[in-house]
Amino acid sequence: MLKKLRFVFGAGIAAGALAMSGMASASTTCEIAVSSFTSCNGSSSCEAQYTNQHPECFAGGATTSTTQINATTFAQATAISQAVFSRLREVSAGALVSADGRSGLAAGEAQGWNVWASYNGNNSRIRYTNVAAATTRTDTDVDATVFGGDYAVSPKMAVGISLGIDRSSGSGQSGAFAPTSTGTEGYTIAPYIGYQLSKNWSLDASAGWGESEFTSGLVRADAERWFATGNLGYNRWVGNWQYTGKLSYLHGEEKYDDSKNNGVVQARTASKNSVDQARLGAQAGYWMNGVMPYAGLLYVSDINRSTSKGGGVDPLGRNAWVLSVGVNFFSLTSKVSGGIAYEQESGRTNSKNETLMANINFRF
């Protein structure tokens, strides 16, 4: 299960601390790693040695960048899509009328305002053998909270805007060296749109831009970030059962400036990271008079993943399965809905990932 109960509201990105071949120090910090990298004076093989063993110190690399993008901007994109999908979905009355005396969950949802909030607490653990034949370990906690609001400009279309705020902290180490602590905090502003194609099908899209800051001891690095995503959703009711599906494509980028070590710019430490990801998922839920437990399965594939500071090493698998269980609730009289869910990822080489999510929506 999740590492800590504070995960319900709690924090983090992590990274790992290091072990350089030939270094005699009993402990290694990001200050040492970044300074040593700069001392390579442009030698690509020398620089790659440091970034391969200490990716957490350079705000880039195939491990740290993938973890960060998935748990921040992609988490916001997913929260947006869930909020839009909830607003637009059509519900056939059927058995639901006898449960609540109304004409289905869609009653009153077509017009007006919708405000919502979402929390995503992610824990990611990575273990792999680095180029120095030592084990790099990272344990990363990331908290992402998203606030959004949208307006139905027509019975079939809604437009809105969201603000995502994230904070991360964690620790990691390489070989026998002592752990190094790292963290980030940032924000992203993202407009979005949703459109109901038919009773069962809907589309939504969003794009966001923001900034973040990486810290480890005296090391600082500022970054710009952006993402874009599109989703095709399917929804169908059969009696009290609701079946949904979603096909998604997401693109995310981070661009870090040169790191500063105690205020001094470290040359050539800037990095650019990007992830292109496709997702295909299905979910089944059972309506029980305002409460709906559900289970889902999602297939995730990183179609493209790149970083300027990877040094040619990419220890993470590109494909994974995500199992989810959760419960949604609906109050038609007060026009409030929400839910809580747990997700666990499996199948990605050298990493374990789990997420606790909660959301709430108000319509008026």
Side-chain angles (χ1 to χ4, degrees):
M1 291 296 293
L2 295 175
K3 180 185 171 186
K4 300 178 181 178
L5 287 178
R6 74 155 199 260
F7 214 16
V8 179
F9 302 104
I13 182 185
L18 12 130
M20 276 300 294
S21 172
M23 291 181 69
S25 172
S27 64
T28 309
T29 64
C30 284
E31 290 93 338
I32 295 173
V34 170
S35 295
S36 300
F37 175 94
T38 301
S39 298
C40 289
N41 293 319
S43 168
S44 58
S45 60
C46 176
E47 292 178 350
Q49 188 177 18
Y50 283 92
T51 57
N52 286 340
Q53 293 185 68
H54 320 310
E56 72 281 357
C57 293
F58 296 91
T63 57
T64 53
S65 62
T66 300
T67 297
Q68 187 71 7
I69 290 174
N70 273 299
T72 56
T73 52
F74 282 3
Q76 182 171 353
T78 300
I80 292 170
S81 183
Q82 289 174 340
V84 175
F85 188 60
S86 176
R87 168 189 265 274
L88 292 178
R89 62 185 167 193
E90 293 287 340
V91 180
S92 57
L96 302 187
V97 175
S98 60
D100 56 50
R102 299 286 296 278
S103 59
L105 297 178
E109 292 186 359
Q111 302 294 333
W113 289 94
N114 176 48
V115 294
W116 55 273
S118 175
Y119 167 77
N120 183 294
N122 177 270
N123 174 249
S124 180
R125 288 155 288 172
I126 298 172
R127 305 287 187 273
Y128 66 94
T129 302
N130 61 37
V131 295
T135 300
T136 292
R137 310 171 187 86
T138 70
D139 196 343
T140 303
D141 288 328
V142 182
D143 284 320
T145 304
V146 185
F147 303 94
D150 50 71
Y151 182 76
V153 297
S154 76
K156 291 187 176 182
M157 181 182 294
V159 294
I161 192 166
S162 68
L163 169 65
I165 302 171
D166 54 84
R167 179 186 292 267
S168 67
S169 63
S171 65
Q173 65 184 112
S174 184
F177 289 108
T180 294
S181 296
T182 65
T184 66
E185 55 182 50
Y187 73 90
T188 310
I189 298 173
Y192 59 89
I193 185 171
Y195 186 78
Q196 189 77 40
L197 296 172
S198 67
K199 178 179 179 180
N200 301 115
W201 295 93
S202 63
L203 283 172
D204 66 86
S206 61
W209 298 263
E211 298 177 336
S212 66
E213 181 186 43
F214 165 85
T215 61
S216 178
L218 298 175
V219 175
R220 300 284 189 276
D222 295 324
E224 297 178 349
R225 55 162 71 152
W226 74 276
F227 77 88
T229 182
N231 305 276
L232 174 65
Y234 176 79
N235 174 74
R236 183 178 182 182
W237 284 83
V238 179
N240 280 32
W241 287 93
Q242 183 194 43
Y243 301 98
T244 62
K246 187 173 291 186
L247 175 64
S248 306
Y249 190 90
L250 306 93
H251 175 82
E253 287 190 13
E254 298 175 325
K255 187 177 181 181
Y256 280 88
D257 297 334
D258 281 330
S259 299
K260 293 182 180 180
N261 192 348
N262 199 20
V264 179
V265 175
Q266 305 296 291
R268 298 178 304 280
T269 54
S271 63
K272 180 181 179 181
N273 313 306
S274 67
V275 176
D276 287 276
Q277 189 176 95
R279 300 180 180 182
L280 177 63
Q283 181 177 294
Y286 188 79
W287 173 260
M288 297 190 301
N289 195 25
V291 177
M292 186 166 65
Y294 67 87
L297 185 63
L298 176 69
Y299 179 70
V300 177
S301 179
D302 292 347
I303 297 172
N304 180 61
R305 195 166 62 211
S306 65
T307 177
S308 59
K309 282 290 175 288
V313 173
D314 187 350
L316 298 183
R318 293 181 178 269
N319 305 313
W321 292 94
V322 180
L323 176 66
S324 63
V325 291
V327 59
N328 290 325
F329 66 86
F330 307 87
S331 174
L332 296 176
T333 56
S334 59
K335 297 183 180 180
V336 176
S337 63
I340 187 168
Y342 170 79
E343 290 186 347
Q344 181 169 307
E345 181 184 86
S346 62
R348 197 185 293 273
T349 311
N350 299 322
S351 77
K352 294 182 179 180
N353 190 284
E354 52 191 350
T355 304
L356 183 65
M357 301 174 296
N359 68 84
I360 190 165
N361 299 265
F362 302 91
R363 294 182 177 86
F364 57 93

